[in-house]
Amino acid sequence: MDNDVSAGSAGSTATLGRLALGLTLLAFGAGATGVIDNVGAADAAAVATWVGGVTLFIVGLLEFRAGDGASGTAYAGLGAFWFTWGTGVGSEVSAEAAGLFLLLWALLALTLTAASSGTGVLGQGVYGLLFLSLLLGGIAAFAGNEGLAKAGGWVGAAAGLLAWYGATAALAKWPTFTGRAAGRGVTATG
């Protein structure tokens, strides 16, 4: 690979990563809640595969190339999760296997939550809510509890909204709740 070719700034690829994660979580969460008639979590498979899987994985590689191992790990790992989930939708697996899958990936989200300490509400909040969503989904699969699965969907949708806001804030230079507005030297309160 030619090292003189720019992979894009870390900010621009991270913003794309937050946007891809946000949209994927919103699609998955809205489907899992059943809030829209005739739309289920499985209907988000294409978004999960291409936006959540492929896009996040590529963003992760670009983040690694830019020297940001933490974001590279987060986006490549989450890309692998979403690609696996999206391509596996419709496969015949036991509830226990589905629950184990979600709980194992919840461990990745827990690691990302711990690793993002000090990044503020947007950084740690997205990963913390993703962890909770996957944990609830995994327990719901083991217990066969549809209500718990819907609760996990709502938490996932909230994580998606938070990730989407983070990407939008970076692009629009809105407050990021770290004491500074994205791209400006002002506080979040003005």
Side-chain angles (χ1 to χ4, degrees):
M1 178 179 282
D2 185 358
N3 289 331
D4 294 329
V5 176
S6 173
S9 71
S12 66
T13 53
T15 300
L16 176 60
R18 284 190 296 270
L19 191 57
L21 180 59
L23 293 175
T24 304
L25 281 166
L26 280 169
F28 170 77
T33 63
V35 72
I36 300 171
D37 286 339
N38 300 317
V39 175
D43 295 317
V47 172
T49 301
W50 298 106
V51 177
V54 174
T55 302
L56 281 173
F57 191 79
I58 291 170
V59 166
L61 295 179
L62 292 173
E63 288 290 297
F64 278 127
R65 185 166 189 262
D68 189 345
S71 290
T73 299
Y75 293 130
L78 291 170
F81 163 71
W82 285 115
F83 187 82
T84 305
W85 184 85
T87 57
V89 167
S91 300
E92 290 295 322
V93 297
S94 68
E96 291 78 14
L100 180 61
F101 173 81
L102 293 172
L103 291 178
L104 289 173
W105 286 100
L107 292 176
L108 170 67
L110 182 60
T111 298
L112 297 176
T113 304
S116 64
S117 65
T119 63
V121 172
L122 295 178
Q124 203 165 24
V126 170
Y127 297 134
L129 289 172
L130 176 59
F131 164 72
L132 184 56
S133 176
L134 293 171
L135 180 66
L136 289 171
I139 293 169
F142 276 114
N145 187 319
E146 188 176 322
L148 203 53
K150 285 184 180 190
W154 283 110
V155 174
L161 282 174
L162 200 58
W164 169 83
Y165 178 85
T168 303
L171 292 171
K173 297 177 179 31
W174 292 349
T176 59
F177 308 106
T178 58
R180 302 179 70 76
R184 295 189 296 202
V186 298
T187 65
T189 59

